[in-house]
Amino acid sequence: MEPSYLFPRILLVLLISGLESAIASSISGNETDRMALLDFKNHITQDPFQIMPSWNDSLHFCNWVGVKCNPTNGRVMVLNLESQNLFGSIPPSIGNLTFLTGINLTDNNFQGEIPQEIDRLIRLQHLDLSYNSFSGKIPSNISQCRDLTIFCAPKNHLVGQLPEQLSSLSKLVFLGVESNNLSGIIPASIGNLSSLYVLSLMQNILQGTIPEQIGLLSGLGFFQVSQNGILGPIPVSLSNATGLMLVDFAQNSLTGTLPRSLGILQGLNHFNFDDNQLGNGKMGGLNFIDYLSNCTNLEVLRLARNQVGGELPNSIANLSTSLQTLTLGSNMLYGNIPNEIGNLVNLTLLGFEGNYLDGSILEGVGALRQLAGLYLNVNRFSGQIPSSLSNLTSLTRLFMEENRLERSIPPSLGSCST
């Protein structure tokens, strides 16, 4: 046979052989997926909505409830069983669903550990295990899921430390593991998560300090680490995360002063440091407020139950007119309330209780017409209760006990509707 005729025949044989191989591989892969799904079904112990009975051979598995397949190769791409009230566990065979890009088991009753075989899901982008009863540690080999962008597992019973290996997940945008029993420190390697936008670690038992490397996360928008055992100062480097909008460090053991550099965070919206040990009781404890005037989107500023001392600076009037919540109660503040506080026209909650503030309650407070809660109790205020408080028609909570105020209550307060 002439060589010129031989080549097309060889090419045709190769094409047919490759097609047969691809078909065989697809059939094999599909069967692997089907068996993995059936094993998942077998690990469901309670199914009140009767989801699992639909997982049977009368339908192709791509049509089973909660299963979505890749239209090109027919492999399982997404497993979404959110809010089905399922009880059970995730079997190791989950690792056989190697084309998975998303797993959503939110709001169920799954128990047991996150299987180590999760590391085989190299295409996984979205893993949401929120509101379940998962226990054990976060598998360190989850770092093999290099395309992972979202890892959510709040409201579980996870223990152990945040794995150092998480630092290799350079595409991770959302890391939410609040309300677990995680311990240890926040690893410095967290600064390698260059794509991170949300970091939520609140309600765990984390200790140690906030690593300076947190400032490397220039795209970070929400950082929550409240209700832990975090110690030490607020790192100055935090201001390098210039995209920050929410900072919530409440209920920890932070010490030192608030860095003036936080004023660089012009997008800051929510700033919560309630229940720490910030400040030293000395004058000038609120000087950092001078630098928050650039934070024009600030709506929440919380510093109650710390050790902040000194007078309320007049610059408090330069805070954003968007400010709705200002809590400075149970500190070591003294002096008068600046009359200029009336500029904060959108305040709904103002807390100055448990300090050493004195003088009269100025008429300017009556300009805060949106106030629903006003806490002035346990101070040293004297004189009369200003009649301007009758302007506070939205007021539902007014506390002024344990001061030196005259006992007469202005009749005009009766015009308050609540």
Side-chain angles (χ1 to χ4, degrees), residues 306-371:
N306 279 280
Q307 299 174 12
V308 177
E311 296 184 294
L312 290 169
N314 291 334
S315 60
I316 202 168
N318 298 329
L319 290 171
S320 170
T321 55
S322 299
L323 195 67
Q324 297 174 20
T325 298
L326 176 60
T327 61
L328 292 167
S330 299
N331 278 286
M332 300 180 184
L333 302 175
Y334 57 86
N336 296 318
I337 299 176
N339 205 41
E340 292 82 1
I341 201 167
N343 294 350
L344 304 178
V345 293
N346 285 303
L347 275 179
T348 60
L349 175 61
L350 178 61
F352 286 145
E353 75 283 359
N355 281 287
Y356 303 96
L357 298 171
D358 55 22
S360 60
I361 299 173
L362 300 176
E363 293 286 337
V365 175
L368 306 176
R369 295 175 181 267
Q370 304 300 318
L371 271 185

Side-chain angles (χ1 to χ4, degrees), residues 232-236 254-262 271 273 277-288 303 307-308:
I234 301 166
V236 175
L254 294 170
T255 55
T257 58
L258 287 147
R260 298 179 177 183
S261 58
L262 292 176
F271 187 88
F273 287 93
Q277 299 172 25
L278 293 167
N280 54 19
K282 298 180 180 179
M283 62 183 300
L286 290 177
N287 285 349
F288 76 98
L303 275 166
Q307 299 174 12
V308 177

Side-chain angles (χ1 to χ4, degrees), residues 223 234 238 244-250 258-259 261-263 265 268-274 278 288-289 292 295 297-304 323 325-327:
F223 183 17
I234 301 166
L238 186 65
L244 272 173
M245 295 187 293
L246 187 152
V247 179
D248 187 354
F249 293 171
L258 287 147
S261 58
L262 292 176
L265 305 177
L268 198 62
N269 176 271
H270 189 115
F271 187 88
N272 187 0
F273 287 93
D274 280 352
L278 293 167
F288 76 98
I289 284 180
L292 293 183
C295 305
N297 297 312
L298 192 63
E299 294 183 1
V300 175
L301 175 56
R302 288 183 170 273
L303 275 166
L323 195 67
T325 298
L326 176 60
T327 61

Side-chain angles (χ1 to χ4, degrees), residues 14-36:
L14 289 173
L15 287 173
I16 292 172
S17 175
L19 182 59
E20 289 176 343
S21 176
I23 292 172
S25 175
S26 177
I27 292 172
S28 174
N30 288 347
E31 181 61 13
T32 299
D33 284 3
R34 188 181 76 87
M35 294 303 295

Side-chain angles (χ1 to χ4, degrees), residues 39 65 69 82 107-108 114 116 120 146 153 163 169 195 199 202 207 251 255 289 318 321 346 349 400 402 411 418:
D39 192 34
V65 175
C69 291
E82 179 178 356
D107 195 18
N108 283 287
I114 303 170
Q116 293 290 326
R120 297 180 58 196
R146 298 297 175 89
L169 299 176
S195 299
L199 177 58
M202 61 187 290
Q207 297 180 334
Q251 297 183 45
T255 55
I289 284 180
N318 298 329
T321 55
N346 285 303
L349 175 61
M400 294 190 293
E402 296 189 52
T418 51

Side-chain angles (χ1 to χ4, degrees), residues 213-229:
Q213 290 80 357
I214 206 75
L216 298 175
L217 304 178
S218 58
L220 194 63
F222 296 98
F223 183 17
Q224 296 177 295
V225 71
S226 59
Q227 300 179 56
N228 278 281

